[in-house]
């Protein structure tokens, strides 16, 4: 990578938010807020629209109700070892279904009501 490219990257920070397609945005919103501890950042049409955003720490996710989209997404969320420990406690406290899975290494997998997968790596969990 050239020095000019590094400078350009620092000057033009890329910012992204995944969009997860859901069948019912209100149901998805309840899952992310009430079960996973996200906060609603915004919701179009004063809370009556089909698109909203939920945030937890630096993780921002847009939920979009679209009956024509039946595809699923996979969201990879890195946490510190303390964050993984907290997540494990919350999974038990809120009875959130999860499983240990593999995606290059061990992960905790949580499937949202629409089949979107949230993967939390356990590589520091030895």
């Amino acid at each position: 990578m050239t020095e000019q490219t590094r400078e350009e990257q620092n000057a033009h920070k890329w910012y992204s938010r995944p969009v997860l397609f859901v069948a019912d945005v209100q149901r998805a919103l309840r899952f992310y807020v009430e079960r996973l501890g996200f906060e609603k950042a915004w919701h179009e049409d004063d809370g009556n629209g089909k698109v909203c955003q939920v945030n937890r720490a630096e993780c921002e996710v847009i939920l979009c109700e679209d009956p024509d989209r039946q595809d699923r997404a996979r969201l990879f969320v890195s946490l510190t070892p303390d964050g993984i420990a907290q997540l494990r406690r919350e999974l038990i406290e809120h009875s959130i279904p999860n499983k240990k899975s593999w995606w290059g290494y061990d992960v905790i997998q949580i499937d949202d009501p629409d089949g979107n997968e949230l993967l939390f790596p356990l590589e520091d969990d030895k």
Side-chain angles (χ1 to χ4, degrees), residues 45-63:
D45 197 22
D46 294 324
N48 297 309
K50 305 290 185 187
V51 180
C52 69
Q53 179 175 313
V54 292
N55 300 344
R56 179 158 180 183
E58 294 180 11
C59 182
E60 300 175 344
V61 178
I62 295 174
L63 304 171

Side-chain angles (χ1 to χ4, degrees), residues 52-120:
C52 69
Q53 179 175 313
V54 292
N55 300 344
R56 179 158 180 183
E58 294 180 11
C59 182
E60 300 175 344
V61 178
I62 295 174
L63 304 171
C64 178
E65 183 176 323
D66 185 342
D68 295 331
R69 296 290 300 256
Q70 301 298 316
D71 46 333
R72 302 177 307 164
R74 177 174 284 161
L75 179 62
F76 189 80
V77 183
S78 294
L79 298 175
T80 64
D82 288 341
I84 288 290
Q86 179 180 344
L87 174 66
R88 288 176 186 253
R89 287 190 299 273
E90 291 174 8
L91 294 174
I92 293 168
E93 289 170 9
H94 299 288
S95 301
I96 299 169
N98 67 91
K99 63 185 175 184
K100 192 170 188 178
S101 188
W102 177 260
W103 199 58
Y105 40 82
D106 290 331
V107 296
I108 294 173
Q109 179 177 332
I110 300 170
D111 296 340
D112 78 6
D114 294 282
N116 294 301
E117 301 170 351
L118 286 77
L119 302 180
F120 300 86

Side-chain angles (χ1 to χ4, degrees), residues 17 29 39-44 51-54 62-63:
R17 294 171 288 173
L29 187 57
E39 295 180 1
K40 182 168 68 169
W42 55 264
H43 193 156
E44 73 169 351
V51 180
C52 69
Q53 179 175 313
V54 292
I62 295 174
L63 304 171

